[in-house]
Structures are given as structure tokens and as C-alpha cells.
């Protein structure tokens, strides 16, 4: 791990250094560097990336000492799965035993992979107990919770890493590289549209994500990735947000338009499962069945709730405008019922335009059906004068376009110093979610929201150097917000 507290020393480094002196010395050096100790809270789907990495590729230097979950069935499953690797023997704890877990198992790091709105509680308690934290995105869901986290970091002096894996996806890192090169000059505006299709997009409306109090809605849960990308690509801080949002597709009215009688509770017991093209068979996938269906009896959580339910409280159609402290203006759109999945983004600079597009999947006829994977990646620079230049995209393998593997190497391995500064702490985590939280506030009030009015004491994170600006930063904002 590139440890931002103690520096990147691990067993492999010590063994390498000791190599010339023979095995005996290596063995004693090995013993002198204990493995890093991790506790994981929230052992659902996403936690497996971390526990799989710790007990797999990075097992020599890292171990899972404890796991904690509110669902005893998932706790037991995680303990069994991890122990079966032979690399770690974690102890399982209930959610109510979190502090006891830290006292007894003494982890150095707590990995937080619970539903989004619960992150702040575990982050703050872990920091207070003297641990550093690795948290999934979004860091949290509201400005108040973000403030709690910022205050706790200040109070304890401990460290947080927010795992923005999208920054590490090779073609997105390449976009950063081009922007850093100055080829398109100063970026004055950005146009960014993200499309979620009716398989992946619909899934947000089946799970806890469909409850805004739990996820912050897609503006926080999903767009945190996208706002973070723009903040990081530009090396700038957001200042002001305007937005519109609504739920137009995942409604009982759409169910009726599709010939159904209306919404039901869940797919498993749905009387219209033969007719509904959004039917999702939770029992058909052994992995999902073992993780969720078999453990419903403990907490009553259904992973396959009806996407047409009237009580869904998140939006599916969102448009946001953001002004940055550099004067750059962002125009962003997100929708969750599209015919293809992916995004396009364009940066308009003083010397030219950078366009980048990824089409992940096209044409999904029904939930659970095989989609045609497109994996189209296009990047090109169009100078203001001269010929356009098509760019061969950087590639990677593994989850999230190869981003997960690069990030895991930085967290658990020995990655070199990163000139793109892809590591994010609580400041990057906060700036990203505050755009979403501001958008959520705009949805209710119709008024613009100033980021500086949402939290106190937030300072800009460390950024990779960007080319010097040719154009002066515009006049300070003169927006009156009632
Ligand atoms: N970076 C990415 O690309 C990515 C991808 C997927 C998920 N995520 C994030 O990972 C996190 C987990 O998502 P997931 O898909 O694994 O969800 P999940 O529903 O599969 O797992 C969440 C787990 O938390 C447990 N939990 C619920 N309440 C709890 C409590 N009070 N205390 C302890 N545990 C509790 C649940 O029982 C469940 O096991 C979320 O924050 C999500 O946004 C990130």
C-alpha cells in the first residue's frame, strides 16, 4: 500500500532488500514486518473486491482480521469465504459490536462498504478508535454528514481514502494526461452526459439505492463518480450548482403503459412476471441467491423490489450546471433508462476540443438478458486550427474498465508515486458529493446552491499540476441566493 501515513514499506520491499543477504535474513526481516490488518464493515457485493484482493494477490502483506455486518447470514458467508482462502481467518461481528470488534481485533484500517448513508457513522467511529479508513464512494450522502467526517479527520489526525476507482480506468487517466499536457489549453467548458441502460440503470430502482435517505439518490450515489472525475480532470473546485431532477420513467404509470396492472412488491412473487420485461430473477444467479435471497430471513431486505413502486424516492432524469473556481462551466446530464450504457464528455479549451466516449453496452431487451458488450472507447483532440487527432486509448483489464486493478495495486501493493494524483482523501470525497447534495437541494427549491454554504473548513485537495492559465479567472460570482 502506498501508505499516506507511514510510507510504502511492505514485506515484499523488505524481502527484496534482504534478497542478496540470503534466506535467513529475509526470513527474519519478513517476521519483522507484520501484515497490515483490515476490518471490513458491510460485507455485501462490493466488499468482495477488497477481501478478494487482500486474501489473493496481496495476501503476503495484508490480512482481514474482522468483518462486521447487520445481517448475520452475510457475516457468516463472508467469514466462510475468506477463511476458505487460507490467507486470513477473520472474526465475525454484529453491527452493534463494531467498537468491540476494533478493541478486540486491533485493525489498522477499516474498509467501509455499507449502504451509502451509513458510511459517516462507521468512518467517524473508526477514526475515533485510532484507525485509518478506506471508504467506498460516495463518501457520504449529505452536507451534514460530510461535515461530521471533516471534523472527525481534523480532531483525530487520522486518514481517509475514498476509493474513486473511475479515476484509475486507463482511458480516463489518459484524458487527464492530455489535459495536463496543455494540448487544448485552458478548459473553459465541459459537456458531460452519462447514460444508464434499462438493465444496470433499472437495478438502482430495485435495491436500497431507490430510497433517497439511504443513497442520496443517483445525484450522490452514482454521479459522485462523475463529478469527482470532472473535479479531478480539471484540477478545480466547484463553486455554484443549478439543477433539475425528476422521476419520469420508473413509475406506476410506465408499468401501465407497458400493459401491466401497476406496481407490485417484488419480482420473486410478482403475479405479472411473465409479462414484465423488467422482471429480475434473483434465484437464477447462485451468487446473488447466496448473498441476498438466502439471507432475507434475517433482515427482510429484498434485492428484487419492483422498479415501478410508487414509494421510490430517487430521480431518473437529472440535469446539472456547475461553475468552478477557475470559471470553467460544466453541463452534465444523467438518465437511467437509456438504450445504451456509457458516456460522452467534451472539453472546450482555448486551443482546441477534447472528446472522449465510452459505449459499454448496447441494446438490452430485458433484465437478466445477455447484452451485447460494445466496449467502444474513442478519444480525439480537435485543435482550433489544424487536423483532428484520433488517439489510441490506453487499456486495462478487470472491473470498471481496468480501474479496479490499478487502484488495488495502489492501496494494497507498492505502486510508484502517481503523477496524476489519483489518490483521494476526504476533501475529494466531499467536493464530489457536495455537487450532488447541492443538486438535490436545487431539485426541491429551484434555487442555485453555493458549495461554500454547505460545509465549513473544506480546503482544496492536492492536485496534479495543470498548465498555467492563459485566460484570467472570471470575476467572482455575483449570484444572489435567497
Ligand atoms: N466504486 C464502485 O464502483 C462501487 C460499486 C458498487 C458499490 N459501491 C459502493 O459500495 C458500498 C456497498 O454497496 P454494495 O453494492 O456492496 O451493497 P450491498 O447491499 O450488496 O451490501 C451492503 C452490506 O451492508 C450491510 N449493512 C446494512 N446496514 C448495515 C449496518 N447498519 N451496519 C453494518 N452493515 C450493514 C448489508 O447487510 C450488506 O451486507 C456502497 O457504498 C456502494 O455505493 C461502489
Amino acid at each position: 500500500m502506498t501508505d499516506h501515513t507511514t510510507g510504502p514499506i511492505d514485506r515484499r520491499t523488505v524481502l527484496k532488500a534482504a534478497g542478496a543477504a540470503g534466506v535467513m535474513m529475509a526470513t527474519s526481516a519478513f517476521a519483522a514486518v507484520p501484515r497490515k490488518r483490515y476490518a471490513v464493515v458491510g460485507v455485501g457485493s462490493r466488499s468482495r473486491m477488497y477481501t478478494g484482493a487482500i486474501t489473493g494477490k496481496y495476501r503476503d502483506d495484508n490480512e482481514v482480521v474482522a468483518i462486521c455486518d447487520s445481517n448475520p447470514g452475510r457475516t457468516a458467508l463472508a467469514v466462510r469465504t475468506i477463511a476458505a482462502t487460507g490467507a486470513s481467518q477473520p472474526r465475525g461481528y454484529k453491527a452493534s459490536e463494531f467498537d468491540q470488534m476494533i478493541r478486540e481485533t486491533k485493525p489498522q484500517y477499516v474498509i467501509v462498504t455499507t449502504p451509502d448513508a451509513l458510511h459517516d457513522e462507521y468512518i467517524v467511529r473508526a477514526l475515533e478508535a485510532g484507525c485509518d479508513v478506506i471508504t467506498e464512494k460516495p463518501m457520504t450522502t449529505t452536507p451534514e454528514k460530510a461535515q461530521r467526517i471533516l471534523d472527525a479527520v481534523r480532531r483525530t489526525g487520522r486518514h481517509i481514502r475514498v476509493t474513486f476507482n473511475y479515476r484509475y480506468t486507463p482511458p480516463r487517466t489518459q484524458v487527464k494526461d492530455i489535459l495536463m499536457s496543455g494540448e487544448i489549453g485552458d478548459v473553459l467548458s465541459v459537456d458531460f452526459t452519462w447514460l444508464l441502460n434499462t438493465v444496470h440503470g433499472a437495478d438502482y430502482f430495485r435495491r436500497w439505492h431507490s430510497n433517497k435517505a439511504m443513497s442520496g439518490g443517483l445525484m450522490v450515489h452514482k454521479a459522485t463518480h462523475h463529478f469527482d472525475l470532472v473535479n479531478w480532470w480539471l484540477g478545480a473546485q466547484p463553486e455554484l450548482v443549478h439543477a433539475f431532477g425528476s422521476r419520469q420513467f420508473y413509475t406506476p404509470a410506465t408499468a401501465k403503459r407497458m400493459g401491466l396492472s401497476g406496481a407490485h412488491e417484488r419480482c420473486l412473487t410478482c403475479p405479472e412476471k411473465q409479462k414484465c420485461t423488467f422482471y429480475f430473477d434473483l434465484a437464477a444467479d447462485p451468487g446473488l441467491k447466496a448473498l441476498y435471497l438466502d439471507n432475507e430471513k434475517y433482515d427482510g431486505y429484498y434485492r428484487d423490489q419492483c422498479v415501478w413502486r410508487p414509494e421510490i424516492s430517487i430521480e431518473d432524469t437529472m440535469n446539472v450546471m456547475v461553475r468552478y473556481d477557475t470559471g470553467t462551466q460544466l453541463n452534465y446530464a444523467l438518465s437511467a433508462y437509456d438504450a445504451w450504457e456509457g458516456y460522452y464528455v467534451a472539453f472546450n479549451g482555448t486551443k482546441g476540443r477534447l472528446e472522449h466516449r465510452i459505449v459499454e453496452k448496447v441494446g438490452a431487451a430485458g433484465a437478466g438478458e445477455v447484452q451485447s458488450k460494445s466496449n467502444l472507447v474513442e478519444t480525439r483532440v480537435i485543435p482550433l486550427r489544424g487536423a483532428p487527432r484520433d488517439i489510441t486509448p490506453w487499456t486495462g483489464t478487470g472491473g470498471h474498465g481496468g480501474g479496479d486493478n490499478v487502484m488495488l495495486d495502489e492501496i494494497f501493493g507498492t505502486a510508484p508515486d502517481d503523477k496524476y494524483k489519483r489518490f483521494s482523501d476526504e476533501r475529494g470525497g466531499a467536493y464530489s458529493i457536495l455537487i450532488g447534495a447541492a443538486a438535490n437541494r436545487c431539485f426541491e427549491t429551484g434555487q442555485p446552491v453555493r458549495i461554500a454554504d454547505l460545509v465549513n473548513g473544506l480546503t482544496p485537495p492536492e492536485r496534479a499540476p495543470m498548465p498555467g492559465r492563459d485566460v484570467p479567472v472570471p470575476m467572482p460570482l455575483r449570484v444572489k441566493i435567497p
Side-chain angles (χ1 to χ4, degrees):
M1 175 173 194
T2 306
D3 188 328
H4 290 262
T5 330
T6 59
I9 298 172
D10 63 7
R11 291 172 17 136
R12 238 172 295 147
T13 313
V14 173
L15 283 169
K16 224 157 117 196
V23 176
M24 282 305 289
M25 184 180 161
T27 309
S28 60
F30 187 85
V33 183
R35 294 194 291 175
K36 289 185 176 137
R37 301 166 66 79
Y38 299 83
V40 186
V41 56
V43 284
S45 163
R46 185 62 175 165
S47 69
R48 293 168 162 208
M49 181 192 75
Y50 297 95
T51 54
I54 294 172
T55 58
K57 185 174 176 190
Y58 306 101
R59 56 165 61 189
D60 286 351
D61 304 321
N62 305 281
E63 67 176 316
V64 184
V65 295
I67 59 162
C68 174
D69 199 290
S70 56
N71 185 305
R74 274 193 285 280
T75 307
L77 179 62
V79 167
R80 274 199 311 277
T81 310
I82 294 168
T85 65
S88 297
Q89 299 293 331
R91 291 172 62 180
Y93 288 86
K94 296 179 191 158
S96 57
E97 297 169 338
F98 179 79
D99 301 314
Q100 178 191 343
M101 169 185 82
I102 293 184
R103 275 197 310 277
E104 289 179 356
T105 63
K106 301 188 173 33
Q108 292 151 286
Y109 304 92
V110 173
I111 298 176
V112 179
T113 43
T114 61
D116 306 338
L118 309 174
H119 289 185
D120 66 311
E121 182 64 28
Y122 288 114
I123 290 173
V124 171
R125 279 160 71 183
L127 296 174
E128 300 280 8
C131 301
D132 288 336
V133 169
I134 298 166
T135 181
E136 258 305 339
K137 53 50 58 177
M139 183 174 80
T140 186
T141 49
T142 66
E144 295 73 24
K145 287 167 181 274
Q147 189 71 62
R148 267 193 86 199
I149 295 172
L150 294 172
D151 292 346
V153 171
R154 219 168 294 131
R155 201 165 55 241
T156 61
R158 304 305 320 176
H159 299 273
I160 298 183
R161 173 194 280 267
V162 183
T163 51
F164 283 124
N165 48 341
Y166 282 30
R167 294 185 182 193
Y168 297 80
T169 303
R172 295 181 194 135
T173 305
Q174 186 179 29
V175 165
K176 176 74 175 168
D177 191 71
I178 297 165
L179 293 171
M180 282 169 67
S181 77
E183 187 172 355
I184 67 159
D186 296 337
V187 177
L188 305 181
S189 67
V190 183
D191 192 9
F192 193 4
T193 294
W194 199 286
L195 300 89
L196 298 166
N197 70 7
T198 52
V199 175
H200 182 213
D203 220 27
Y204 293 108
F205 296 80
R206 295 192 179 99
R207 298 176 284 161
W208 52 260
H209 312 62
S210 63
N211 175 2
K212 201 161 189 178
M214 201 48 103
S215 67
L218 293 178
M219 275 290 95
V220 172
H221 174 81
K222 188 69 195 168
T224 185
H225 276 307
H226 315 150
F227 295 139
D228 176 67
L229 279 176
V230 179
N231 298 349
W232 168 70
W233 273 329
L234 296 177
Q237 279 61 248
E239 277 189 344
L240 188 75
V241 176
H242 288 249
F244 289 108
S246 56
R247 179 161 57 95
Q248 303 197 39
F249 185 80
Y250 296 102
T251 64
T254 307
K256 290 204 170 119
R257 279 203 298 277
M258 291 188 173
L260 304 168
S261 64
H264 298 281
E265 185 183 32
R266 65 181 302 193
C267 292
L268 190 73
T269 52
C270 181
E272 300 189 280
K273 61 172 78 163
Q274 308 296 345
K275 269 167 61 183
C276 182
T277 61
F278 285 70
Y279 169 65
F280 174 71
D281 189 353
L282 188 55
D285 179 322
L288 290 179
K289 179 176 175 301
L291 197 54
Y292 302 107
L293 191 57
D294 294 350
N295 294 316
E296 285 179 357
K297 53 183 176 287
Y298 299 109
D299 59 9
Y301 170 62
Y302 297 159
R303 165 73 178 74
D304 63 345
Q305 295 168 74
C306 178
V307 298
W308 316 119
R309 283 169 300 133
E311 65 269 23
I312 288 173
S313 51
I314 64 171
E315 297 78 16
D316 58 22
T317 310
M318 293 139 280
N319 296 81
V320 184
M321 287 194 294
V322 183
R323 189 180 125 132
Y324 282 83
D325 57 358
T326 50
T328 309
Q329 293 173 195
L330 165 68
N331 187 31
Y332 168 83
L334 174 65
S335 46
Y337 43 82
D338 296 290
W340 58 273
E341 170 118 354
Y343 66 92
Y344 50 89
V345 59
F347 301 84
N348 296 305
T350 48
K351 295 182 186 164
R353 176 175 165 98
L354 166 60
E355 294 177 351
H356 168 60
R357 181 162 78 113
I358 294 190
V359 180
E360 287 177 12
K361 290 161 202 134
V362 188
E369 289 188 17
V370 177
Q371 304 162 68
S372 70
K373 282 212 170 197
S374 153
N375 294 329
L376 171 87
V377 182
E378 282 178 346
T379 306
R380 67 186 208 150
V381 170
I382 309 166
L384 291 187
R385 301 282 183 274
R389 187 167 78 88
D390 283 326
I391 288 161
T392 308
W394 294 353
T395 55
T397 54
H400 295 99
D404 286 351
N405 282 340
V406 185
M407 184 183 74
L408 290 171
D409 247 351
E410 192 184 81
I411 300 177
F412 300 116
T414 50
D417 264 5
D418 181 22
K419 72 171 180 169
Y420 304 112
K421 303 281 179 215
R422 285 170 290 189
F423 166 85
S424 172
D425 63 16
E426 69 287 348
R427 294 168 294 179
Y431 273 117
S432 152
I433 72 106
L434 289 175
I435 300 177
N440 278 335
R441 200 169 282 184
C442 291
F443 296 168
E444 285 170 18
T445 65
Q447 300 296 328
V449 174
R450 230 190 313 251
I451 297 293
D453 292 342
L454 298 180
V455 290
N456 298 314
L458 177 58
T459 54
E462 197 188 344
R463 301 281 196 200
M466 295 295 282
R469 289 187 67 83
D470 294 333
V471 288
V473 173
M475 294 292 286
L477 288 173
R478 296 195 195 287
V479 178
K480 277 215 166 75
I481 302 172

